[in-house]
Amino acid sequence: MTRLARDRQNGWLGGVCAGIGRRYGVQVWLVRFAFVVATTAGGLGIVLYALGWLVIPAGEGAPGRRRLPTGRAAVEVALGTGLLLLSVLLTFRALGIWFSDAFVWPLVLVASGGALIWRQSAERPASEPAPAPRQPVSAPPRLPEGEERRRVAAAISRTGVGIVLVLAAGFVFLQTTGALGAARDVLLALLVAVVALGVIFAPWIIRLVRSLTEERSQRIRSEERAEVAAHLHDSVLQTLAMVQRRADDPGEVAAIARRQERELRAWLAGRPRPGQAARLAPALEAAAVEIEEAHGVPVEVVVVGDVDLDEHVEALVAAAREAMTNAAKFGGGSPIDVYAEGVDGRLQVFVRDRGPGFDTARVPDDRRGVRESIVGRMERHGGRASITSSPGAGTEVELVLESPS
Amino acid sequence: MSSPRVLIVDDHQLFRSGVRAELEPLLDIAGEAAGVEEAVRGIAATRPDVVLLDVHMPDGGGVEVIRRVAAGSDHAPLFLALSVSDAAEDVIAVIRAGARGYVTKNISGPELADAVRRVSDGDAVFSPRLAGFVLDAFAGPAPQPESELDALTPREHEVLQHIARGYMYKEIALRLDISPKTVEAHVSSVLRKLQLSSRHELTRWAAERGLGL
């Protein structure tokens, strides 16, 4: 047996009619018709619908068809709907289908104000995880500060309007029934009672709030720990298991360890962050990782003055990658040092190995092609490349890109 | 030349024994310490020439060891920081606390022994990465042009660049046509600037590691 719930997936407004229809096995349009008929009885249908919206819990699933617009459009639609409702009510009033002014107007105000406030608090739990001030190790993308602030401001102003409407309703009701004077006395007594209760229960309430906050931060901490544990499990422990199995192959073990080290460092540093512009340093690091994995040679990348990637800088990275490949192939397994410096619009990259080196005057044939691809590529993008090497002293490729700034 | 006595400070047993095994044939190992407290006591007891200091340890790490030894010990060894961390603030903080150099833990045994010897001779040891950080920190115009501590000379800049490019001191000397001693003098001068300069980048990095300088 299904519970009575608002069917937000098939509903038009809040899914009240669809929910009732589904729960009791009645055609939805019949239920809707009943509400429309009830509306002719002094707007009773509208009141009932609003009550249903507030009281009946929302069912599973997000609103399938978004009939309710958001943002600026929502304000316009709300205004239009309000005016339409007002004209309907006035028509009923003129026709004499009416309870009394003292009853209907406050009710309309309470309904609209209440709807604003209740919707507000109903939305909260769903969006709670997002605005919670947690700072996991992986530093997830957070809402832009302006966006966050704007949302909070909108929520506050909506709640404020709701409160004003409800208070106005009470005031109008008391005014028209002439009970305002008596209400003032009651209000005073109530105020005194509230203050007294506040004084009595304040310590307890504060304690409650504090323990809730504590519990919350405890939960966040344990969630973070779980996240770290999950990551270590997937990465470091796997790698350690792999290292144990490959213990007889030192080269392989070193490569595995180095790859894991890079991965863990990147994770600790929280890069690459989504939404971050592509930069030179991560691009060079990525190329270095590829070379390391392909050739089993350690590559150390040092970048000073990181810059944004454009097509020329990308060409520079590609050329540097070629140079690294070269160094890995002909450097005799020596470690490769990559140093990039972007200062005053001048971008320099050095790729160096400590291998056997060669006489640059007599370039071996098998190197000519690669050399062309490095030098040629740099020249096509307005840069230059030079290769320094001598037998026994390693090889260094220098790439320069002057950006017009 | 007698080989320098080395104390190894690291909170990882596995790493200490690994370093010890690599350095034992090349240097004189004075002992090991597994924490800040133990390191301070060990330095007073064994009086090593050089302390190989892990940056990340409980109770304040390497920075705390340097601070306490400087505050209350008649024997001041030379510190060489050795760490897996390559975060700028860690590197800069431990150098500003007084370490004579910084190398990362993936350095090879002979290279490490060489670095220890160089530190014990009074020189500074910069890994390519540290050189990169220094160039980064000193990039841009100096905040106080009258203070020579806040800017690198063109020659120092050149030397650091070569270190970052992976050149050994001897190779740098050859390329710049100066003596190896001059290269070492330049690096030591950079170290001094790194420790004493009031450049904003350096003080910020140091402050991030709780080093109120």
Side-chain angles (χ1 to χ4, degrees):
Chain A
M1 181 169 138
T2 53
R3 203 164 47 91
L4 178 58
R6 287 190 284 117
D7 185 352
R8 292 200 294 170
Q9 248 156 356
N10 301 310
W12 278 0
L13 273 170
V16 174
C17 293
I20 292 173
R22 199 166 73 159
R23 168 68 181 81
Y24 297 103
V26 188
Q27 288 287 319
V28 180
W29 65 268
L30 265 175
V31 182
R32 288 196 180 119
F33 184 68
F35 269 97
V36 171
V37 170
T39 303
T40 58
L44 188 65
I46 294 168
V47 174
L48 282 177
Y49 191 94
L51 271 177
W53 196 339
L54 293 180
V55 172
I56 302 173
E60 299 285 310
R65 281 166 274 171
R66 263 210 91 85
R67 286 166 204 284
L68 292 174
T70 53
R72 211 200 147 91
V75 176
E76 283 163 12
V77 170
L79 266 178
T81 315
L83 288 174
L84 204 66
L85 195 67
L86 193 66
S87 66
V88 169
L89 284 174
L90 286 174
T91 311
F92 285 143
R93 188 165 182 251
L95 290 172
I97 316 169
W98 198 247
F99 288 116
S100 75
D101 280 357
F103 179 66
V104 176
W105 296 126
L107 201 65
V108 168
L109 285 178
V110 167
S112 38
L116 273 175
I117 299 172
W118 283 48
R119 270 196 67 74
Q120 195 63 42
S121 56
E123 273 172 12
R124 259 279 150 250
S127 61
E128 180 147 27
R134 49 196 298 236
Q135 221 137 21
V137 192
S138 59
R142 297 176 73 182
L143 275 178
E145 217 171 290
E147 171 75 4
E148 177 98 29
R149 210 177 301 145
R150 200 186 57 73
R151 267 175 40 169
V152 169
I156 290 172
S157 69
R158 249 187 292 169
T159 310
V161 170
I163 290 171
V164 167
L165 284 176
V166 173
L167 287 180
F171 188 77
V172 167
F173 183 73
L174 293 174
Q175 178 80 352
T176 48
T177 53
L180 201 59
R184 206 170 39 221
D185 295 344
V186 174
L187 212 64
L188 194 66
L190 207 67
L191 196 72
V192 171
V194 165
V195 169
L197 286 176
V199 170
I200 293 167
F201 287 111
W204 179 76
I205 292 171
I206 290 171
R207 213 162 40 233
L208 186 74
V209 168
R210 208 171 282 160
S211 78
L212 276 177
T213 327
E214 219 160 86
E215 190 183 290
R216 197 178 137 92
S217 59
Q218 196 97 43
R219 201 187 62 222
I220 291 168
R221 260 203 300 277
S222 74
E223 270 172 19
E224 272 171 21
R225 207 171 304 139
E227 200 182 324
V228 171
H231 184 267
L232 292 183
H233 208 273
D234 285 349
S235 55
V236 177
L237 288 184
Q238 294 282 354
T239 302
L240 288 178
M242 232 147 73
V243 164
Q244 286 172 42
R245 221 174 315 134
R246 302 285 182 81
D248 51 339
D249 184 350
E252 179 74 359
V253 167
I256 293 172
R258 184 120 177 122
R259 192 185 320 150
Q260 180 58 61
E261 182 194 335
R262 268 182 199 283
E263 195 268 337
L264 194 60
R265 269 191 207 291
W267 187 71
L268 285 174
R271 69 194 129 134
R273 295 187 195 102
Q276 193 182 35
R279 304 276 281 174
L280 172 66
L284 279 178
E285 289 275 359
V289 170
E290 273 179 57
I291 302 303
E292 267 185 9
E293 294 190 358
H295 301 276
V297 175
V299 184
E300 180 84 20
V301 179
V302 175
V303 177
V304 171
D306 204 359
V307 297
D308 283 333
L309 282 186
D310 60 17
E311 60 167 318
H312 303 304
V313 179
E314 269 170 24
L316 178 82
V317 172
R321 196 180 175 288
E322 283 296 336
M324 285 184 233
T325 310
N326 243 8
K329 275 189 195 160
F330 304 107
S334 71
I336 300 168
D337 284 285
V338 178
Y339 173 68
E341 183 182 271
V343 177
D344 305 329
R346 179 185 158 98
L347 193 54
Q348 269 179 301
V349 176
F350 298 90
V351 179
R352 178 160 187 273
D353 68 64
R354 298 171 197 177
F358 62 96
D359 188 349
T360 42
R362 285 179 296 165
V363 180
D365 277 347
D366 59 341
R367 287 201 182 186
R368 183 156 298 168
V370 183
R371 191 179 153 182
E372 287 303 313
S373 90
I374 294 173
V375 177
R377 199 192 307 253
M378 290 309 295
E379 278 168 359
R380 276 198 297 283
H381 288 271
R384 60 188 164 80
S386 56
I387 298 172
T388 323
S389 184
S390 56
T395 306
E396 186 170 55
V397 177
E398 180 186 3
L399 311 168
V400 184
L401 197 62
E402 314 261 4
S403 57
S405 59
Chain B
M1 191 178 80
S2 72
S3 65
R5 282 163 53 77
V6 186
L7 181 76
I8 302 166
V9 181
D10 198 301
D11 55 336
H12 291 101
Q13 160 72 38
L14 205 63
F15 190 77
R16 282 202 310 275
S17 39
V19 169
R20 187 180 196 130
E22 279 188 319
L23 293 187
E24 208 127 53
L26 305 165
L27 301 170
D28 180 9
I29 308 291
E32 298 175 21
V36 173
E37 196 66 43
E38 217 177 294
V40 174
R41 268 188 281 120
I43 289 165
T46 64
R47 307 179 78 84
D49 300 312
V50 177
V51 177
L52 267 184
L53 191 59
D54 186 18
V55 174
H56 287 279
M57 284 185 294
D59 306 320
V63 169
E64 181 67 20
V65 174
I66 298 177
R67 201 183 301 178
R68 282 177 54 182
V69 169
S73 174
D74 53 318
H75 175 73
L78 298 160
F79 292 97
L80 174 59
L82 180 64
S83 170
V84 289
S85 168
D86 55 4
E89 60 265 27
D90 293 334
V91 183
I92 302 295
V94 75
I95 292 289
R96 279 179 81 90
R100 298 288 301 170
Y102 186 103
V103 290
T104 42
K105 280 184 176 175
N106 50 17
I107 190 173
S108 74
E111 273 181 319
L112 182 58
D114 195 47
V116 169
R117 271 193 217 102
R118 193 169 295 146
V119 166
S120 105
D121 287 347
D123 294 324
V125 171
F126 280 24
S127 64
R129 199 160 284 271
L130 174 54
F133 285 143
V134 177
L135 287 170
D136 230 356
F138 282 93
Q144 304 158 286
E146 69 273 12
S147 169
E148 54 107 21
L149 286 174
D150 291 336
L152 300 177
T153 65
R155 204 50 148 177
E156 286 164 357
H157 193 271
E158 218 169 0
V159 168
L160 279 184
Q161 252 187 351
H162 276 86
I163 295 175
R165 281 156 66 180
Y167 285 96
M168 302 292 182
Y169 287 16
K170 263 185 228 125
E171 296 169 319
I172 297 171
L174 213 60
R175 284 178 64 93
L176 299 183
D177 204 14
I178 49 182
S179 77
K181 272 284 150 218
T182 314
V183 174
E184 276 162 5
H186 283 307
V187 177
S188 292
S189 157
V190 172
L191 183 83
R192 197 172 62 88
K193 288 181 179 178
L194 201 52
Q195 287 170 340
L196 300 178
S197 167
S198 56
R199 270 191 85 100
H200 168 71
E201 294 84 350
L202 299 172
T203 46
R204 175 172 57 84
W205 275 329
E208 276 169 19
R209 294 297 298 174
L211 203 71
L213 290 177

